[in-house]
Amino acid sequence: MTPTALITGATSGIGKATAYEFAKHGIHLILCGRRQKRLDTIKKELSEQTNVHILNFDVRDKDETFNAISSLPNDFKAIDILINNAGNAHGLDPIHTGNLEDWDAMMDINVKGLLYVSKAIIPQMTKRQTGHIINIGSSAGKEVYPKGNVYCASKHAVLAITEGMRIDLNPFGIKVTAINPGLVETEFSQVRFKGEAIADNVYKGYKALQAEDVAEVIYFAVSRPAHVNIADVLMFCTAQASSTIVKKS
Ligand code: NDP
Ligand code: 8X3
């Protein structure tokens, strides 16, 4: 049977590239985000290849999240693959001058939002005793870098939640995977630096990972045989050795 995947943050970057990658393989798609126009455009494009349903909600809002997921039509109710991808860094400041709104955004979206979406979907996976959850962590979930403080904390939390899910969902045969990329050229830095010009410099002087590179690894993980779970992937572009070491020209 053709699997159905729900992807959060499908309007941009890694989530959008994953939608396009999955569509190539005919996976049915539930695409989520807040930017309706983008959701409409992506749905239009991918509907030529597979069945697509779109959901507009803010993962920070518990009620919106649960209502959106419970509104799914029957054809899309059984979710086989959950890609918890929505998230961003907000700001890059030392801990003593950090912005409280940025901290709230990162914890509310990257951590609590991921939990809300998971809570809304996992019960039907445990009931059906099948499913695959992929959480998009980060190299920032494995090491802390200067001024990364709260973003790194949010991604360390994603890794801890991933490991907790893998343990608790083990009796139900549910696969749980963390994909942890380093620098990926997406809208990430536009969001982090609130549209300031500095965002343009982040990917200059080297070839960063592209969203499609990550999407291919995500598809690899979901396309393994039933007995194989890719538990944890750390991926960098060739120029990057760690959060702070990047070979630039
Ligand atoms: P983008 O900014 O390109 O995409 C972020 C996506 O998240 C958008 O589709 C956005 O949709 C969605 N999103 C953000 N906030 C919310 C919200 N409150 N509710 C619902 N959806 C939301 O960034 P990336 O593709 O790079 O980021 C995707 C994930 O990858 C994030 O978890 C990020 O932390 C992680 N990551 C990114 C890396 C990078 O260097 N780019 C490296 C490692 C990990 P919309 O605005 O329409 O709601
Ligand atoms: C995104 C990569 O290095 O900006 O998670 O934290 S980094």
Side-chain angles (χ1 to χ4, degrees), residues 8-16 32-36 38-39 56-61 84-90 105 108-110 136-140 151 154-155 158 179-191 202-203 209 211 214:
T8 65
T11 55
S12 171
I14 295 168
K16 180 177 172 188
C32 311
R34 294 165 301 173
R35 286 171 286 184
Q36 187 63 39
R38 288 191 184 203
L39 288 172
N56 185 327
F57 63 95
D58 186 330
V59 297
R60 276 174 297 197
D61 188 319
N84 273 319
N85 162 76
N88 279 113
H90 292 256
D108 289 349
I109 300 168
N110 303 356
I136 307 303
S138 169
S139 52
Y151 177 66
S154 76
K155 290 298 182 178
V158 169
I179 306 280
N180 306 288
L183 292 151
V184 191
E185 190 170 0
T186 63
E187 292 175 16
F188 179 86
S189 292
Q190 291 296 334
V191 175
V202 176
Y203 309 109
L209 286 174
V214 183

Side-chain angles (χ1 to χ4, degrees), residues 28-125:
H28 297 167
L29 295 170
I30 303 161
L31 304 179
C32 311
R34 294 165 301 173
R35 286 171 286 184
Q36 187 63 39
K37 259 196 181 165
R38 288 191 184 203
L39 288 172
D40 291 336
T41 307
I42 297 167
K43 179 179 177 180
K44 202 169 162 208
E45 287 183 14
L46 296 187
S47 291
E48 290 169 15
Q49 290 168 276
T50 188
N51 298 345
V52 183
H53 187 83
I54 52 178
L55 290 178
N56 185 327
F57 63 95
D58 186 330
V59 297
R60 276 174 297 197
D61 188 319
K62 213 183 297 176
D63 293 336
E64 255 189 47
T65 300
F66 279 87
N67 290 339
I69 291 167
S70 65
S71 78
L72 283 168
N74 282 340
D75 285 0
F76 288 92
K77 272 207 190 309
I79 296 162
D80 304 289
I81 301 164
L82 165 59
I83 312 290
N84 273 319
N85 162 76
N88 279 113
H90 292 256
L92 182 70
D93 300 293
I95 197 75
H96 48 288
T97 59
N99 176 313
L100 288 179
E101 281 173 19
D102 286 344
W103 292 0
D104 282 343
M106 290 185 279
M107 299 314 277
D108 289 349
I109 300 168
N110 303 356
V111 183
K112 290 168 70 184
L114 179 149
L115 286 170
Y116 296 158
V117 173
S118 302
K119 177 79 175 162
I121 291 172
I122 288 172
Q124 53 92 23
M125 288 185 170

Side-chain angles (χ1 to χ4, degrees), residues 126 129 132:
T126 51
Q129 307 240 334
H132 193 165

Side-chain angles (χ1 to χ4, degrees), residues 7 160 225:
I7 304 173

Side-chain angles (χ1 to χ4, degrees), residues 222-238:
V222 303
S223 57
R224 292 312 83 209
H227 69 287
V228 178
N229 179 39
I230 306 292
D232 192 285
V233 174
L234 173 64
M235 60 184 293
F236 284 129
C237 65
T238 307

Side-chain angles (χ1 to χ4, degrees), residues 17 184 207-219 235 237:
V184 191
K207 174 85 172 172
L209 286 174
Q210 302 298 297
E212 293 73 18
D213 299 322
V214 183
E216 284 178 9
V217 172
I218 295 172
Y219 179 70
M235 60 184 293
C237 65

